[in-house]
Amino acid sequence: MSQDAIEEPSIESAVSAPSTLPQVPAGPDPHPEGFWTMMLGSMGVVFGDIGTSPLYALKTALDHMKADGVVESEVIGVVSLLIWALFITVTLKYVAFLMRADNKGEGGTLSLMALARKSLGRGSKLVFVLGVAGAALFSGDAIITPAISVLSAVEGLNTASPAFQPYVLPIAVVILVSLFVAQSNGTARVASFFGPVMVVFFGLLALLGVGHIADAPRILTAFNPLLGLSFLFGHGAAGFVTLGLVFLAVTGAEALYADMGHFGRKPIQIAWLCFVLPALVCNYLGQGALVLNDPEAVKDPFYLMAPQWALIPFVLLATAATVIASQAVITGAFSLSRQAIQLGLLPRLEIQHTSASTEGQIYVPRVNRMLLIGVLLLVFLFRSSDNLANAYGIAVTGTMLVTTSLAFFVVRNSWGWPLRVALPVIGFFLAVDLAFMAANLVKVFEGGWAPLTMGALAMVIMWTWVRGSDLLRKKTQRDSIPTADLIRLLEKSRPQRVAGTAVFLTGDPQVAPSALMHNLKHNKVVHENVVIMNIVTESIPRVSEACRFEIGKLSGDFLQVTLHFGYMESPRVPAAMALMRKAGYKFDIMTTSFFLGKRTLKTSPASGMPVWQDKLFVTLAKQSANATDFFSIPSDRVIELGAQVTI
């Protein structure tokens, strides 16, 4: 079994390659737009997931009352748990605390991992494993969110008329397929509508909620956290199971942190505190009051808040909101994939830029296809949002647990908090996360296995890629000769020199690139000017143009060039060489030849990995995008020289 793979430089080498720069400044502000523009934009991206939770959170948490009957104290207790989950998990943990732990303005699991590794040293395996686990669990969330959100919205048609029942699933499938098919065109044109649509949606949530609170004003006692705790500890196993369903109200909290780099901390914080949080709290109170006033409304309190004449338009608006929420998660999955590729956790997948002006607008075809397949499998397997609710919480609680754990290393080592402060603060958040995790684990056999399986599969893939790449890198180093030794040999043997400049891309500039060795072996020539180029991914999101490159002279005609990119950037070699020209270095990309080593991988019983992992690594390598496209090198300037390599 063989595969053409891993042209140099291997991106995975950037994970362990230490930067030669002591401090690499971040690049320009990624969101120079005005504050209000950023806040409006955050409405359509950051809060889409958590904003659509009212469609199913309370309905699912009260599901047992459809058969057992509505009990006032239980309704108030559940609403109290929902409200305080928003206060503690979202407001206190994410908005007030975690959003301060940014990596040059960027948030999210991998950004936090990079920040923690920087504070501890790159050799911290625990932090690395936690980051991989968080990224893997997010993949499960990215698949479940579109499925449950769109299904829950379309199911509102059942409330309008039972005649819609046979069409709910087909309509949801059509919407989801259309959403994923449209990804290749980019979202720049329609993204400007996301914010205004969600503003209308949140405004309507608040309006309907406030309008129904008067149905049973006693629902306002839900602000008393003791009523929520009384329900939780007073109903035994039932209260514990309900806690797992209450967690559905905060499933979009991770997005507040992950999207911080796109919109900035302040716009997200202000939007949450002044608009989104009040709207959600009012809506949950209104749903609870409606159920207390009309026990029959327990079957679907969200849609029954709307008057009958407005139900269909409300369903359409809710569907639009869930599509926006799904789009936000898909975009997040693309961004996370690019970070994982740059950090060496995934193969070099094809990344397409769908906007000429916005760096973050990207499309990853293979990730898009995998997400679509996963979403459709879940929709056909579970067939309703109620069934999917059992599967939803586990992936998100796992990600939150990882985020909180990584935050400990940051506050302890980067912020310098003493243990007497760090342990109680992180311990409190960990206790809340563990409680939610335990409540969701009881649903493993009712659907929770789905995200766990997806997360485990994603983690095995990342682990295999990192492990296999490390073994391959070590083998390459053993079989190669040092660059300095090669230069000395060339000075003595003096092979034929040809005009022009040759750039040899490599993952390790200390050893002679395989493409250079093959060129000498087969063509028996060396160019007048030779550049050995290495690309390093830094542990910060973006690198400023001033620190984009380093140039060192190895000999009279050999240069070593190191290009630095942040993990949120696409490594575009021509753009970097243009900066070098501005700095006075004479590089003309159209008269320069780029030599890439193209390896054909073959499995070996002595590789150091099990046979199944060997085969998986080779299969993953098949997915690796061509280095020419990945590094944006003009294809007519590239020469590939191949060789067979046994892992």
Side-chain angles (χ1 to χ4, degrees):
M1 189 175 197
S2 65
Q3 133 71 10
D4 293 333
I6 319 190
E7 299 90 343
E8 294 179 302
S10 54
I11 286 296
E12 63 276 3
S13 66
V15 175
S16 58
S19 171
T20 54
L21 298 179
Q23 284 291 332
V24 183
D29 183 4
H31 38 78
E33 296 89 345
F35 175 85
W36 297 107
T37 301
M38 287 293 97
M39 195 173 83
L40 180 63
S42 72
M43 294 284 196
V45 176
V46 177
F47 302 109
D49 190 359
I50 198 168
T52 53
S53 295
L55 273 76
Y56 46 81
L58 184 61
K59 179 181 74 169
T60 307
L62 299 180
D63 189 61
H64 64 283
M65 295 186 186
K66 294 177 184 177
D68 302 338
V70 172
V71 179
E72 179 175 315
S73 62
E74 294 184 7
V75 173
I76 295 176
V78 170
V79 173
S80 179
L81 288 174
L82 285 167
I83 291 174
W84 280 95
L86 292 173
F87 288 161
I88 294 175
T89 298
V90 184
T91 308
L92 189 60
K93 176 184 170 183
Y94 279 93
V95 174
F97 173 64
L98 275 178
M99 290 187 76
R100 293 180 57 227
D102 67 293
N103 191 353
K104 303 294 183 181
E106 293 289 341
T109 300
L110 290 182
S111 289
L112 196 61
M113 180 194 78
L115 198 61
R117 292 185 77 196
K118 185 177 180 181
S119 67
L120 289 172
R122 297 181 69 87
S124 175
K125 292 184 178 180
L126 175 59
V127 169
F128 183 73
V129 170
L130 284 172
V132 170
L137 287 167
F138 180 83
S139 66
D141 180 25
I143 292 175
I144 295 177
T145 294
I148 191 173
S149 298
V150 173
L151 264 178
S152 62
V154 179
E155 284 170 353
L157 294 172
N158 292 332
T159 305
S161 171
F164 286 110
Q165 176 65 39
Y167 305 105
V168 168
L169 200 62
I171 291 174
V173 169
V174 169
I175 292 173
L176 288 167
V177 171
S178 301
L179 175 64
F180 281 95
V181 169
Q183 293 303 310
S184 60
N185 298 320
T187 58
R189 294 180 182 177
V190 295
S192 58
F193 296 101
F194 288 177
V197 169
M198 292 306 295
V199 167
V200 173
F201 181 70
F202 284 125
L204 197 55
L205 290 187
L207 184 64
L208 290 173
V210 170
H212 281 282
I213 289 175
D215 294 346
R218 56 192 181 278
I219 193 65
L220 294 174
T221 59
F223 281 112
N224 182 354
L226 296 178
L227 296 181
L229 293 174
S230 175
F231 170 81
L232 180 61
F233 294 107
H235 289 76
F240 192 61
V241 171
T242 303
L243 181 65
L245 299 172
V246 164
F247 182 76
L248 295 173
V250 298
T251 50
E254 194 74 22
L256 277 76
Y257 184 41
D259 287 319
M260 182 167 57
H262 293 121
F263 300 99
R265 179 190 300 137
K266 287 297 181 184
I268 293 175
Q269 289 175 328
I270 297 300
W272 171 256
L273 293 172
C274 298
F275 197 75
V276 180
L277 177 61
L280 294 176
V281 169
C282 288
N283 192 262
Y284 284 124
L285 290 171
Q287 288 189 47
L290 176 63
V291 172
L292 291 179
N293 184 59
D294 180 14
E296 290 296 318
V298 74
K299 62 184 180 182
D300 198 345
F302 178 79
Y303 279 117
L304 289 174
M305 282 197 301
Q308 187 65 32
W309 60 268
L311 189 54
I312 296 298
F314 192 34
V315 170
L316 294 176
L317 177 61
T319 302
T322 57
V323 169
I324 291 172
S326 301
Q327 177 61 61
V329 173
I330 295 168
T331 302
F334 292 160
S335 178
L336 186 77
S337 299
R338 179 169 67 175
Q339 292 180 48
I341 292 166
Q342 288 289 76
L343 292 171
L345 304 179
L346 287 176
R348 190 170 54 218
L349 302 176
E350 177 190 1
I351 297 176
Q352 298 177 10
H353 291 263
T354 58
S355 172
S357 58
T358 306
E359 171 71 17
Q361 288 283 338
I362 59 174
Y363 169 62
V364 188
R366 292 188 184 278
V367 173
N368 192 63
R369 285 195 291 271
M370 293 303 297
L371 288 176
L372 175 57
I373 292 170
V375 167
L376 293 180
L377 283 175
L378 287 181
V379 168
F380 288 119
L381 188 62
F382 291 93
R383 306 187 72 82
S384 75
S385 61
D386 287 342
N387 294 334
L388 265 173
N390 291 321
Y392 198 16
I394 292 181
V396 187
T397 53
T399 306
M400 287 186 175
L401 196 62
V402 166
T403 300
T404 306
S405 302
L406 289 172
F408 173 77
F409 297 102
V410 174
V411 301
R412 182 74 180 95
N413 297 283
S414 290
W415 296 359
W417 283 17
L419 276 176
R420 66 178 183 275
V421 177
L423 282 178
V425 172
I426 299 298
F428 171 71
F429 292 129
L430 276 177
V432 174
D433 291 342
L434 286 169
F436 280 130
M437 170 67 85
N440 277 283
L441 284 175
V442 302
K443 301 181 293 183
V444 167
F445 297 107
E446 299 175 17
W449 56 267
L452 288 179
T453 302
M454 295 173 189
L457 180 61
M459 197 165 182
V460 167
I461 288 173
M462 293 183 192
W463 171 50
T464 299
W465 184 252
V466 171
R467 189 180 182 190
S469 299
D470 186 56
L471 291 172
L472 186 60
R473 182 168 59 253
K474 290 177 180 177
K475 177 178 176 58
T476 301
Q477 289 174 341
R478 287 196 306 268
D479 298 342
S480 301
I481 66 171
T483 303
D485 291 351
L486 175 64
I487 293 174
R488 283 194 293 269
L489 288 173
L490 291 177
E491 289 174 347
K492 293 179 180 178
S493 61
R494 297 188 178 277
Q496 178 70 36
R497 308 305 290 259
V498 294
T501 299
V503 177
F504 295 89
L505 275 71
T506 179
D508 185 356
Q510 301 306 314
V511 299
S514 62
L516 175 56
M517 300 301 294
H518 287 300
N519 191 43
L520 277 169
K521 179 180 178 181
H522 297 289
N523 297 327
K524 297 179 175 55
V525 297
V526 177
H527 284 70
E528 287 179 340
N529 299 297
V530 177
V531 176
I532 296 178
M533 182 176 288
N534 180 39
I535 297 175
V536 175
T537 300
E538 299 293 342
S539 59
I540 58 175
R542 295 173 181 84
V543 173
S544 67
E545 290 187 353
C547 294
R548 177 69 71 202
F549 62 87
E550 291 178 279
I551 298 181
K553 206 168 184 64
L554 300 177
S555 71
D557 45 18
F558 272 75
L559 289 180
Q560 179 180 320
V561 174
T562 301
L563 302 182
H564 299 269
F565 293 91
Y567 59 81
M568 290 291 291
E569 296 179 294
S570 295
R572 298 179 175 179
V573 170
M577 294 185 73
L579 291 175
M580 294 165 65
R581 285 199 302 274
K582 289 181 181 178
Y585 295 95
K586 296 180 180 180
F587 283 112
D588 182 359
I589 197 168
M590 297 314 296
T591 59
T592 299
S593 298
F594 291 83
F595 287 80
L596 304 177
K598 190 166 186 176
R599 298 166 178 166
T600 299
L601 297 186
K602 302 184 72 174
T603 60
S604 168
S607 71
M609 295 192 297
V611 175
W612 67 267
Q613 202 166 29
D614 267 346
K615 292 182 178 180
L616 177 59
F617 178 70
V618 172
T619 302
L620 289 173
K622 289 181 179 180
Q623 315 306 315
S624 186
N626 186 281
T628 304
D629 298 329
F630 190 83
F631 296 111
S632 302
I633 302 171
S635 57
D636 60 346
R637 307 308 310 165
V638 173
I639 300 169
E640 293 184 344
L641 298 173
Q644 284 196 351
V645 178
T646 302
I647 301 176

